[in-house]
Amino acid sequence: MTSNEKASPISNDKRHRWFVFSEKTMEDDPEAAHDPKPVDIRGSAANRTGWRSLFSFTSKSHTLVLGLSAFFSVTSGILIPITSIFLGYIFNAFTEFGAGNTDAVVLTSTVSANCIALVALGAAGWLFNGAYFMFWLVFGELQAKSVRDKLFKGLVNKEMAWFDMRKKGITSLLPRMQTQIRELQIATSQPLGFLVQNSITAIAALGIAFYFCWNLTLVILATFPLAAVILSFISARMQPSIDAQAECLSSASKVFGTAIASIDTVKTFNGQDHELWLYGQSVKKAARFYLIQARSNALQIGFLRLVTLGMFVQGFWYGSTLVAQQSKIAGQILTTFWACLLATQAVEQILPHMIVLEKGKAAGASLRAKVLQMERGRMVTHMSGGLWPSTCNGDIEIKNASFAYPTRLDRLALRNASFFFPARETTVVIGQSGSGKSTLGSLLLRLYTPTSGDIYIDGHPIQTLDLNWLRRNITLVQQRSVLFDETLARNISLGHHAFEQVTMEQVKSACQVAMLQQTVNDLPDGFETRVGPGGNSLSGGQRQRVALARAKIRDSPILILDESTSALDCISRSLVLEAVREWRKGRTTIIITHDISQISKNDYLYVLDKGGIVQEGYREALEISPSGPFSSFLPPATSPKLGPPDEQLPPLERNSGISMQRSTKSVDSLDVQFPENVHYLPGALASGPFPIHSLPRSRLSQLHALDMPPPSTTAPAYLPAFPASSVPSTPPDTELIELSGRATQINRGSLNDARRPRLPEASIPPNAPHRLKSLKKKLAFQKTTENKGNPPPDVFSLKDILSTVWLHLGIGEKMILVIGFVFAFVHAASTPAFSYLFAKLLSTFYIQGEDRSHEALKWSLSVLGVAIGDTIASYLMHYLLECSGQAWVDSLRIKAFGRILHQPKSWFDKEGNDSSHLGECLDRNAEEMRNLVGRFAGFVFVAVSMMSIAIAWSFAVCWKLTLVGLASAPFMYAMTRAFEFVSGKWEGKSNEAGSVASSIFAETFTNIASVRALTLEKYFQDKHTAAILQAFRVGLRRSTYAGIFFGISDSGILFVTALIFYYGSRLASEGSYSAEDILTVFTMLLFSIANVNAIIGFIPQINSSRETATRLLKLASMATDTHERRGPEAAILATPFPITFTDVSFAYPSRPEQSILQGFSLSIKEGTSTAIVGSSGSGKSTVASLLLALYPPSAAGVGASGSAPQGIRLSGLSMSKVHTAWLRTQIAIVPQTPTLFPTSIGENICYGLPEDFFPNELSRHRAIFRAAHAAGIHNFIASLPDGYATLINDAGAGLSGGQAQRVAIARALIRRPRVLVLDEATASLDAENSRLVRDSLKRLVSAEKVALVVITHDVEMMRLCADVVVLALGRVVEQGGLDELLSAKGECWRLLGGQDMK
C-alpha cells in the first residue's frame, strides 16, 4: 500500500492547519489550478506579444481578404502624401504671388488646376478609403470567427482534468476568453487598418520629402531616431500592465459569475455586500494597471507632439537658408515641410489606437497560448479506427482500479477496487458520502482515466473502445441533472444520438416512464416550453425526471443511476423506480445510492467506504450480518422522536461571543466534546492571530450593510439587543470612495488587510427606534433614468450617456475631469496658434534680404514654445480623461453589480439575465464604454473647441473665405451623421449576434461533463458554428455599409480643401485680402478640419461603445425600491414568531398562469418542528422561497376566502413591512442542491457572517469546528492536507454531493438561526451522517427553541418533526403528527408507499 493509500489519520497539527495553501505545479499551463502565479510557456511563440500575435488565427483562406485590405490601405495611404505635392504647388503659387513674382491670372489658373487634381484625389479616396475600411472590418470578423471556432474545437477535445485544473474555474475563464476575442477582433479591424494606412502615408510622405529636398528632410528628421527609441521604451512598459489588468478582470469575472450563478445562496445568507466588495477590489486593482497603460500612451502622444511641432525650429531656419542661397525655391521647401508634417501627423494618429492594438496583441498571444496548450496537452482520445463492437451485452469488470481527482492527487477516490457488473442484471453500489460511488460513473464514461487498474466492457479494455461507441452504450443520470436552454421536448430528445429523428410519440412515451405528464400539462407551452439555462424554470425533482426521460429515449444497454431520484417524493420515487426496473429488465443497470429503499432483496450490492469495497453480496444475505458495514445503512429499530429538553443530550457551555444573543440559556446545541490531547488549532495561534494568505477573510458587517440599527440602551422590547461592536465607526486611517452612488469607508490598507469595509447606512432615530433611516442620497441619474412607466430607449444617445459621467464621480475625480478638459482646451487652442505661426513662417519665404533668416528663427522659436505647451497639455488631457473614464466605468460597474444583486429573484428568471449575458455587460461592455470619456469625448471636445477658435480667428482675418469654408459644413455633417447612423445600427446587430455565439459557448463548457456523457459535442459544435456564421454574415453587412459611408466621410475634406483654395485664389487675385491673410485662414481651417476628420475613423468604435454603454447604464439605473432593499419604513422585530401563512396563493412571475400555491395556510412557532411533504412540484420548495422573501410578498396573493389577516405575517406584521435583510438573518436554509463558493471550506461555512459575529478569531474557529462536527463533516475536513483551508473549486467540484450537502448544513448551523429550513437537506447523506444531523437538529430545537422547517421525502426526517404538513397541488390536504397521519391512511400514507411505518 502506498503512502496515499494509508488510512491512518493525519497528524493533528496538519489536520487543522488554517489558511495556508499548498502550491502545486500541475501542468505547464498558465491557468493551472493552485499555481501561485501564471507559468510562462517558455520557448513558445505564443507567449510573445509581438505584432505576429494579431495574426495568430489568420489562415490561408484569409489571405485574399488580408491582401485586399493591405492593397487598399497602401493605395489610400499613398493618396494622402500625394496631396502634399499639389498643396505645395498651391502654396508656392500664393508665395510667388505674395512676393510679386506672378500676377493674378497665373495664380488663379495654377490654383484651379491643382484644385481639380485635389477633387480627383477625393473621388479616388472615396473608393480606396471605403474599400480598405470595409476589408479590414471583414478581416476582424474573420479573426473572431476563426478564434471562436478554434477555441471551441480545442476545448471540446480537452479531457475533464483540464477543466478541473483551471486556477480560477471555468466560469471565470469563459467570459475572459470572450473579452479577449472581442479585443482581438477590434484590434484587427479599423485600428490595424489605420496603422497600415498611416504607416504607408508616413513612408510615402517621407519619400516625397526626400525627393524634393533630401538635405532639408534629414535636418527635419534629425531627432526622430532618438524619438523612436524613447517611444519603443515607453511602449514596452505597457505590456506587463495589460497582462496584470487582464488577470484582475478575470478575478472580477469569477466573483460576478459565481455570485449570479449562486444568487439564491447569496441572497438567503445576505452575502450581497460581501460579493460586491470582492468584485470592487478586483475592479479597482484592474483600474490601477490600466492607468499605467493610459499614462504610457499619453506620454507617447505628448512626446510625439513635441517632436512633430519642434521640427520646425531647425527645419524652417535651414529651409530659409536654402531659399536665400537659391538652392531651392519656396515651393520645394513648402512641399518638403508639408510632406514631413503629413508623415509625423500620420504617426501621431496611430498613437490613440496603440492601447487597442496592444490589448489586441496581448489577447492574441493569450488566446494562441491557450490553443497551443490545448493542442499539446492531453486530449480526449476518440480512438477513431478503434474498436466499435456490433453489439453491447453490458458486461462490466473493474480490476484493482485506483483513482484520484486532478485537484486532489493526494486523496484517492477509489483504492484498489474491483467490481463485476454482469450483463442484463441490476447491481447496486452503496456507501457513505465521499466513498467513491459517483467516481464509478465518471470512469465508465471515460470522463477520467484510472491511475491504475483496468476496466473491461464485454471483455474489451475500455481504452481500446471508440469513445462515441462507449458513451452511446452507457447512460449516466446524475443527482444534479443538467438541462440545456432548449425546449422541454428538445432536452428529452437530445438523449438519442439521432435526436432529429425522434418523434413526439417517443418523447411522450419517455415522459410516461419518468412520470412527467402532469408537469408537461402545467407548463405554459407544454413540450415547447423553454426550460431556461440549466433548466432553472423547473424544480429539482422535475429536472431529475426530465433526465430520466432523456435516459429512456436513449435506451442504452448500460444505465447508471447516480442518486437520480433523490429529489422525488417516496411514492414518485417508488413508481419511477418500478417503471425503470420494468424498462431495464434484461439490461445492465447500476444503481448508485445510499438509500436502501431502492434496493430489493434480490439485488447484488457493493458497499464502499473510503474508496474501497468493504462488503458485497445480495441484500438478503447481508442483512443477516448485524455487525457488517451494510448494517449501518439499515433503519434503526426505533425511530427518534422529539422529547422534552431533559431527554436530549447534555448541553455544553455556550459560546458567549455570538453577537446576536437570542436566548439567555448557556446551552450550545452545536457543542461537541473534543479529546483534551487533540490540538485543533495551529501552533501559530499561541503567539497571535491566524496567518492569512491568499484569500481575504474579510466580510462586510452584515448588520450595517443591511441597514441594521445600532444598539440602544433604551431599545423597546421588540428590538433585539445588539452588541456595541456592531456600531459602525470610521477608523482614523480611512478614506471615502464612491461605491454604487454612496460614500463608502475603505481602509487604505484593505488590499492586504483581512478586514472588509463596512458600509454604514442606517441609524435609529430616537422617536422611531424600530424603523430604519436611510443615509444614502438619491442620485439625479437614478431619478431621471429609473423606470417611470416609459420603456427606456434601445440605445441611449451620446449626450445622455456622457451626462451620467459627472454624477458618478467623486469630488476629486470631478476635479480631475475638469482639469482634463481645461488642458483639452489648451491642446485645442494650440492648433490655431500653430496655424497662425505656420502662416507667419510661410510669409518669410517672400521676405527679401537678411531679415528672412531672423524672422524664420523668431517664428520657429515661437512654434517651439507652442510645441512645449501643447506637449504638456496633450499628455495631461489624455491621462486625466482616461483617469476620469476609468473612475466612471468602475463606479458604474460596482453600481450595476449592486443593483443586480438586489433585484428580486424573478428578475433573474427572465431571458437575458443569466450570468453569461450580465457578465459580458460588466466586463467587455464596460471596457469598451470607458473610451467614450477616455478617448472620444476628449477628441470631440478638442475638435469643437479647435473649430470654434479657428472659425472665430478666421472670421477676424478673412470672413468671406471663412463663410465659404463653413458652407461645406452641412455636407460634412450629413455624411458624418449618416455614417454614424449606419455604423451604430449594424454595430448593435453585430454585438447581438456575437452574444448569441458567446452564450452557446458558455453553456457548452459550463456543462461539459453532461455534454460529453450525452455525446452532444457535435450538436453544440454545429450550433456554435451556425451562430458564429450568422455573426460573420451580420459582420459582413456591417463592414459593407460602414465602408461606403466611411469613404465619403473621410474623403470629403479634399473636396472642401479644393473649394477653399479656389475661392482664396479668387479673393487674392481681386486684391480683397493679402496673400498672408489667405494663407493664415488656409492653415487654420485645414489643420482644424484635418483634426475633425480624424474623428470620423473613431465613429464605429464610438457606436460600439455607445451600444455597450447603454446596456451597462440600464443595469446601473435599475430600480432599487424592490423588497430586497426596503427603506426606513421597514420594521425590525424582536422576534419573527409566530410566522403565519394565511390563505396564500402564488405563481412564479415567469409563469403567472400556473398556480403553485393555492390557499396555503401554515403557522410556525418558536421551538416547533414542522415537516412539509408532498409530491414533486407540489410547492414545497416554493414555501421556503416565500419564507425567505426571494420573491416579493406582493407576488404571494391571497385566496378567495376573504378571511383576515391574510398573506404572510411575522409576529402579526405583514412580511411586506418587514426588513428583508433582517428577516434573512433570522432564517437559515440548507437547499436541495447546495451551492458552495470557490474559496476555502472554512470560508464557505462562515459565508455572509459579519466580522463582529464572533468576538475573536479563536471563537470563530471553534464555532466552525462545532458546526462542522454537528453536520458530520468535521472528520472528513480534518483528513484533508490543508484542513479547513482546503480550496473548493467551482460549484463545489472536488466534493461529493453528500460532502457538499454537509458543508451547507454546517453553514446554516453556525448562524444560530431562529428558523432553520432544510429542503431535502439529507437527500445526499448516508444513514450514519443523516442520524448525526438529526441528533444535532434535535438539540437545536429543544435547547435553543429554534423553529425547524423540514421539506423532505424521508420518513426519518418526518419523524423528527412534531407536525407534518402534506401538500398536494399547492394546498394543505393533511396536517398532524406522522403516526396520526399514517393511521388515517390518507395522502401522507400514500406518499410513503402505503406501508405501515410505525
Side-chain angles (χ1 to χ4, degrees), residues 4-138:
N4 286 337
E5 296 169 335
K6 292 179 181 178
S8 58
I10 299 173
S11 59
N12 294 327
D13 60 338
K14 190 172 184 179
R15 178 181 299 181
H16 302 284
R17 187 171 66 229
W18 277 71
F19 302 110
V20 180
F21 300 104
S22 61
E23 298 178 351
K24 305 178 180 68
T25 301
M26 297 298 181
E27 59 176 295
D28 191 16
D29 179 4
E31 296 284 347
H34 304 300
D35 281 354
K37 59 182 179 180
V39 180
D40 289 338
I41 305 177
R42 304 195 181 278
S44 172
N47 194 44
R48 307 188 196 105
T49 55
W51 290 104
R52 292 182 60 185
S53 301
L54 294 174
F55 306 96
S56 297
F57 297 92
T58 303
S59 63
K60 291 182 179 180
S61 61
H62 304 165
T63 305
L64 177 61
V65 173
L66 181 59
L68 290 172
S69 302
F71 171 76
F72 285 111
S73 296
V74 170
T75 53
S76 63
I78 291 174
L79 287 178
I80 298 174
I82 289 177
T83 61
S84 67
I85 299 175
F86 297 104
L87 292 176
Y89 292 150
I90 293 173
F91 274 103
N92 185 65
F94 276 98
T95 302
E96 292 295 321
F97 179 77
N101 297 330
T102 59
D103 56 16
V105 176
V106 175
L107 172 66
T108 305
S109 62
T110 303
V111 172
S112 297
N114 287 287
C115 285
I116 293 173
L118 289 178
V119 171
L121 287 175
W126 183 359
L127 172 63
F128 294 128
N129 287 337
Y132 104 81
F133 195 83
M134 177 187 71
F135 281 112
W136 279 114
L137 287 178
V138 172

Side-chain angles (χ1 to χ4, degrees), residues 525-813:
D525 298 318
F527 282 107
E528 297 305 313
T529 303
R530 295 188 74 91
V531 300
N536 57 14
S537 64
L538 302 179
S539 70
Q542 290 167 340
R543 286 197 295 270
Q544 285 191 341
R545 282 184 282 175
V546 172
L548 286 169
R550 188 165 60 193
K552 172 61 174 67
I553 215 164
R554 194 175 187 82
D555 202 19
S556 60
I558 301 172
L559 175 66
I560 305 171
L561 301 177
D562 186 0
E563 302 283 8
S564 58
T565 59
S566 60
L568 303 183
D569 59 88
C570 293
I571 188 65
S572 295
R573 183 186 305 144
S574 176
L575 292 174
V576 167
L577 286 175
E578 183 180 346
V580 169
R581 284 181 179 270
E582 181 65 27
W583 155 44
R584 297 300 299 175
K585 279 184 179 179
R587 301 199 178 187
T588 305
T589 306
I590 302 173
I591 299 176
I592 298 173
T593 185
H594 63 264
D595 179 11
I596 64 168
S597 66
Q598 301 182 28
I599 309 173
S600 69
K601 291 185 177 181
N602 297 324
D603 283 337
Y604 193 90
L605 58 89
Y606 292 93
V607 182
L608 286 183
D609 184 41
K610 297 179 181 179
I613 300 174
V614 293
Q615 195 175 13
E616 63 178 293
Y618 290 97
R619 172 176 177 172
E620 193 171 21
L622 295 181
E623 285 180 341
I624 299 175
S625 175
S627 59
F630 179 71
S631 62
S632 63
F633 295 91
L634 297 174
T638 57
S639 300
K641 295 183 180 180
L642 285 176
D646 54 1
E647 294 179 5
Q648 307 306 316
L649 298 178
L652 303 177
E653 181 180 352
R654 183 182 179 88
N655 176 14
S656 60
I658 303 302
S659 62
M660 296 183 65
Q661 299 288 348
R662 301 191 182 99
S663 173
T664 58
K665 297 183 179 182
S666 59
V667 178
D668 190 343
S669 64
L670 303 184
D671 274 345
V672 294
Q673 297 286 355
F674 293 109
E676 295 182 359
N677 61 338
V678 177
H679 302 284
Y680 292 92
L681 302 176
L685 180 64
S687 58
F690 293 99
I692 298 178
H693 307 289
S694 186
L695 292 179
R697 190 193 47 76
S698 45
R699 290 171 300 280
L700 283 168
S701 174
Q702 189 180 36
L703 303 182
H704 313 318
L706 304 174
D707 296 340
M708 297 291 282
S712 171
T713 56
T714 60
Y718 49 80
L719 271 180
F722 294 149
S725 62
S726 67
V727 182
S729 60
T730 305
D733 188 27
T734 60
E735 59 184 352
L736 292 179
I737 65 168
E738 286 295 314
L739 188 69
S740 299
R742 64 189 179 216
T744 304
Q745 298 173 5
I746 289 187
N747 190 292
R748 292 192 179 100
S750 62
L751 290 182
N752 297 318
D753 193 83
R755 297 289 171 183
R756 185 173 172 178
R758 298 167 182 254
L759 301 181
E761 292 189 5
S763 60
I764 297 298
N767 58 345
H770 63 294
R771 299 291 183 183
L772 297 172
K773 181 180 179 181
S774 174
L775 297 180
K776 292 199 305 178
K777 296 181 179 179
K778 299 292 184 182
L779 295 175
F781 174 68
Q782 175 184 333
K783 293 178 180 178
T784 58
T785 60
E786 286 183 358
N787 188 9
K788 297 180 180 179
N790 298 320
D794 289 339
V795 179
F796 294 157
S797 68
L798 196 60
K799 177 183 176 182
D800 291 338
I801 293 171
L802 294 178
S803 67
T804 66
V805 176
W806 186 262
L807 301 172
H808 289 85
L809 298 180
I811 296 176
E813 292 153 353

Side-chain angles (χ1 to χ4, degrees), residues 252 374 431 838:
M374 293 173 195
F838 185 73

Side-chain angles (χ1 to χ4, degrees), residues 1013-1127:
L1014 294 168
T1015 60
L1016 291 175
E1017 294 95 333
K1018 186 177 185 304
Y1019 169 76
F1020 279 100
Q1021 186 167 339
D1022 291 344
K1023 187 177 179 181
H1024 183 258
T1025 300
I1028 62 176
L1029 188 59
Q1030 176 61 22
F1032 179 68
R1033 292 195 187 104
V1034 174
L1036 282 182
R1037 299 181 68 182
R1038 174 181 74 104
S1039 304
T1040 302
Y1041 293 127
I1044 293 172
F1045 284 91
F1046 172 79
I1048 191 171
S1049 301
D1050 191 61
S1051 303
I1053 186 175
L1054 288 177
F1055 302 122
V1056 176
T1057 301
L1059 176 63
I1060 294 174
F1061 274 125
Y1062 172 74
Y1063 188 66
S1065 67
R1066 294 290 301 271
L1067 292 177
S1069 63
E1070 293 171 359
S1072 302
Y1073 295 92
S1074 66
E1076 181 179 348
D1077 291 339
I1078 298 297
L1079 290 176
T1080 299
V1081 175
F1082 280 165
T1083 53
M1084 284 188 183
L1085 292 180
L1086 289 179
F1087 276 112
S1088 300
I1089 292 174
N1091 279 277
V1092 173
N1093 194 62
I1095 298 176
I1096 294 176
F1098 287 110
I1099 286 179
Q1101 295 181 56
I1102 291 175
N1103 282 317
S1104 177
S1105 299
R1106 189 164 65 93
E1107 199 268 338
T1108 54
T1110 299
R1111 297 185 183 186
L1112 184 57
L1113 285 170
K1114 286 180 179 179
L1115 292 176
S1117 61
M1118 289 189 297
T1120 57
D1121 55 349
T1122 67
H1123 77 285
E1124 293 281 343
R1125 294 181 68 85
R1126 293 204 177 94

